[in-house]
Amino acid sequence: MSDDLRTQILSLVNDYYNEHHRPQNSYTTGNRIPYAGRVFDQEDMINLVDASLDFWLTAGRYTEEFEESLARYVGVRFCSLVNSGSSANLIAFMALTSPKLGERAIRRGDEVITVAAGFPTTVSPIIQFGAVPVFVDVNIPQYNIDCSQLKAALSDRTKAVMIAHTLGNPFNIAEIRHFCDEHKLWLIEDNCDALGTDYEMEGQWGKTGSFGDIATSSFYPPHHITMGEGGAVYTKNGLLHKIIRSFRDWGRDCWCDPGVDNTCGRRFNGQYGELPCGYDHKYVYSHFGYNLKVTDMQAAVGCSQLKKLPSFVDARIKNWEYLYSRLIDCQDKVILPEPAANSKPSWFGFLITVKEGISRNELVRYLEEQGIQTRMLFAGNLLKHPCFDEMRQEGKGYRVIGNLEQTDQIMNNTFWIGVYPGMTVEMLDYMANKIKQYLNEYSGDVA
């Protein structure tokens, strides 16, 4: 009887979706065009309600399914769900501070190479722990780390490189991976904006997120797939996986799933630290950790979203290429983005950098007035933000290589618009036409 009732409830959810949420595949000129948004169907809503009927409010069966499926998709062995992409970056970095890593563990005062032209939570864990971020410049029009500066950034305190693939466009993985291997550095791939991107290295194609020692994803609504809030940390390394799980789950030494006891078979007969012999392993802590798990309801949405990811990636690529074709004749006025060599980006957005004589701020204001949502390339230059005021005044806590000239150009002249799967050709045409209209009116003729 209960199974019949569940089936009836889920059937009604399907009906509700069709009545209230099924998208109308038409665009009315003048309607606001968001830079990103959730794209979902009845399967996502059915999964959400199905998980809620279990009333298992923490991680459960859907979490396990998602972790296994995402690991398989990316091409890694292990995946751990967390409650956000920012938490994923926190866990990824903190895992590398574990004493279990011996001499390779990051300690306070050690250095981590990164960039200032990105999202702050790629850098925040480094600073909050007490390590030293070393900022290098980026390149335009790929908007990723300038690998020519890596040698200058290296010191005898360098332990890791932690950088993101910018808006789906991968950084030069081959060169970065070689650099890290040569100098025995950890590599954290912030893959939050690039899920589904393919990259070729040494004749083999793989997904971004499979090349680093640890990688991260975000499932906030604008991202490639969503579960509302959520993120993931993934790795091929069994020891790193165990450490990641420990930091995610309160810092505990035990690896039992929630509600499960004595997986190790020696719950009451181990010796840990200076605790009395036989102290309950479920309450032994090998790290100063957190509780950053998701609910199974979030994971349930992620499971159905992940099945749609290949079609989402195809749509993003198609939309990006269409915008590029519409704006290619504007290159005397703006710099258009270029994919990294040996890559097939799963684009998160379409970056535009205005050339001399064009005001980025005025163009953005014009587009917003026309109903086109825009975004900056996140922090632009993170070092210019109020969160760095104290560190900048004291002149310590970080290092900068060169003058970050391209980073400042991005801060002053770059913005982006959306290519998410909910875009229609009419929406893409409207955006391209308005950009051209502005360039025509304020900077000469553009066809």
Side-chain angles (χ1 to χ4, degrees):
M1 180 65 179
S2 60
D3 288 344
D4 291 341
L5 184 57
R6 181 184 287 254
T7 299
Q8 182 180 352
I9 292 170
L10 298 182
S11 177
L12 289 171
V13 172
N14 181 77
D15 294 343
Y16 186 89
Y17 168 84
N18 287 325
E19 183 171 339
H20 293 281
H21 290 292
R22 182 172 292 279
Q24 305 297 316
N25 293 321
S26 61
Y27 170 69
T28 302
T29 300
N31 285 356
R32 187 156 178 77
I33 301 176
Y35 80 97
R38 59 188 187 174
V39 177
F40 67 100
D41 61 18
Q42 61 268 48
E43 184 181 6
D44 301 310
M45 292 189 68
I46 289 169
N47 268 25
L48 175 62
V49 173
D50 186 50
S52 71
L53 293 175
D54 291 344
F55 211 68
W56 184 260
L57 300 181
T58 184
R61 63 186 177 99
Y62 276 113
T63 299
E64 183 177 348
E65 177 186 337
F66 183 89
E67 289 173 339
E68 291 176 355
S69 297
L70 183 62
R72 187 164 52 249
Y73 176 84
V74 174
V76 297
R77 292 178 61 196
F78 307 106
C79 173
S80 299
L81 264 178
V82 294
N83 60 0
S84 73
S86 298
S87 294
N89 282 343
L90 173 64
I91 292 295
F93 176 81
M94 290 303 297
L96 299 182
T97 71
S98 171
K100 294 180 182 293
L101 299 177
E103 289 301 312
R104 293 199 65 192
I106 298 174
R107 295 180 172 86
R108 289 171 180 81
D110 285 341
E111 295 184 348
V112 180
I113 297 172
T114 188
V115 300
F119 203 75
T121 57
T122 309
V123 177
S124 297
I126 304 169
I127 295 171
Q128 290 163 354
F129 174 73
V132 178
V134 180
F135 294 102
V136 302
D137 211 353
V138 296
N139 53 39
I140 299 174
Q142 286 84 26
Y143 300 92
N144 280 306
I145 187 170
D146 181 355
C147 292
S148 69
Q149 296 188 357
L150 288 171
K151 186 176 180 180
L154 186 68
S155 79
D156 58 2
R157 299 301 302 269
T158 308
K159 286 288 187 69
V161 176
M162 185 172 181
I163 47 178
H165 303 293
T166 303
L167 292 195
N169 203 15
F171 54 75
N172 188 334
I173 296 174
E175 190 163 349
I176 295 290
R177 184 70 268 179
H178 174 75
F179 175 79
C180 289
D181 290 343
E182 180 182 4
H183 299 286
K184 295 182 173 57
L185 309 178
W186 299 108
L187 172 59
I188 299 177
E189 284 183 81
D190 182 334
N191 199 37
C192 290
D193 291 345
L195 187 62
T197 290
D198 292 307
Y199 186 86
E200 183 185 21
M201 188 171 73
E202 298 177 351
Q204 297 292 321
W205 285 90
K207 298 291 184 188
T208 52
S210 68
F211 297 95
D213 297 288
I214 305 178
T216 61
S217 279
S218 171
F219 309 122
Y220 192 64
H223 285 274
H224 289 70
I225 60 173
T226 185
M227 54 180 71
E229 300 284 357
V233 189
Y234 32 100
T235 182
K236 296 179 179 179
N237 185 305
L239 175 59
L240 290 178
H241 172 63
K242 184 177 179 180
I243 296 168
I244 287 164
R245 284 291 172 98
S246 175
F247 272 104
R248 183 194 69 174
D249 300 350
W250 303 282
R252 62 182 184 162
D253 195 75
C254 173
W255 55 88
C256 292
D257 290 331
V260 177
D261 296 339
N262 208 27
T263 300
C264 62
R266 51 197 299 267
R267 179 180 171 190
F268 295 110
N269 62 357
Q271 177 66 61
Y272 307 99
E274 297 183 3
L275 290 168
C277 184
Y279 196 84
D280 188 348
H281 192 213
K282 288 185 71 70
Y283 290 96
V284 174
Y285 302 94
S286 51
H287 303 99
F288 293 103
Y290 317 90
N291 176 13
L292 299 177
K293 297 190 299 298
V294 297
T295 69
D296 221 39
M297 291 173 284
Q298 292 170 268
V301 176
C303 286
S304 52
Q305 283 273 300
L306 190 54
K307 295 175 184 177
K308 292 184 274 288
L309 179 57
S311 65
F312 288 169
V313 172
D314 288 344
R316 287 178 176 277
I317 293 171
K318 182 179 178 181
N319 292 344
W320 188 94
E321 291 177 344
Y322 187 80
L323 269 180
Y324 190 92
S325 71
R326 288 296 322 277
L327 297 174
I328 194 169
D329 52 1
C330 301
Q331 292 187 91
D332 58 332
K333 308 293 190 305
V334 297
I335 300 172
L336 299 183
E338 291 182 7
N342 306 314
S343 76
K344 298 175 183 175
S346 173
W347 296 104
F348 188 53
F350 193 94
L351 278 157
I352 297 172
T353 297
V354 301
K355 293 186 176 180
E356 187 175 356
I358 310 294
S359 167
R360 189 272 311 277
N361 290 350
E362 291 181 9
L363 172 54
V364 163
R365 188 176 296 112
Y366 173 80
L367 295 177
E368 293 280 351
E369 290 170 352
Q370 302 302 312
I372 299 168
Q373 196 172 40
T374 64
R375 286 293 184 266
M376 301 295 103
L377 185 49
F378 307 130
N381 183 342
L382 184 59
L383 298 174
K384 306 289 188 181
H385 286 254
C387 58
F388 264 85
D389 284 352
E390 183 177 353
M391 294 174 68
R392 189 166 52 247
Q393 290 164 7
E394 293 178 353
K396 61 183 181 180
Y398 64 94
R399 287 202 297 124
V400 178
I401 305 305
N403 58 11
L404 302 185
E405 180 180 355
Q406 298 299 298
T407 299
D408 282 343
Q409 182 175 356
I410 289 168
M411 177 181 65
N412 292 315
N413 298 319
T414 301
F415 71 100
W416 59 279
I417 54 177
V419 294
Y420 79 104
M423 293 278 185
T424 64
V425 171
E426 291 79 12
M427 294 161 75
L428 296 168
D429 276 331
Y430 181 81
M431 291 193 298
N433 289 339
K434 289 301 178 182
I435 291 170
K436 288 189 169 190
Q437 182 177 332
Y438 179 88
L439 295 178
N440 275 330
E441 292 179 1
Y442 294 95
S443 59
D445 293 336
V446 178

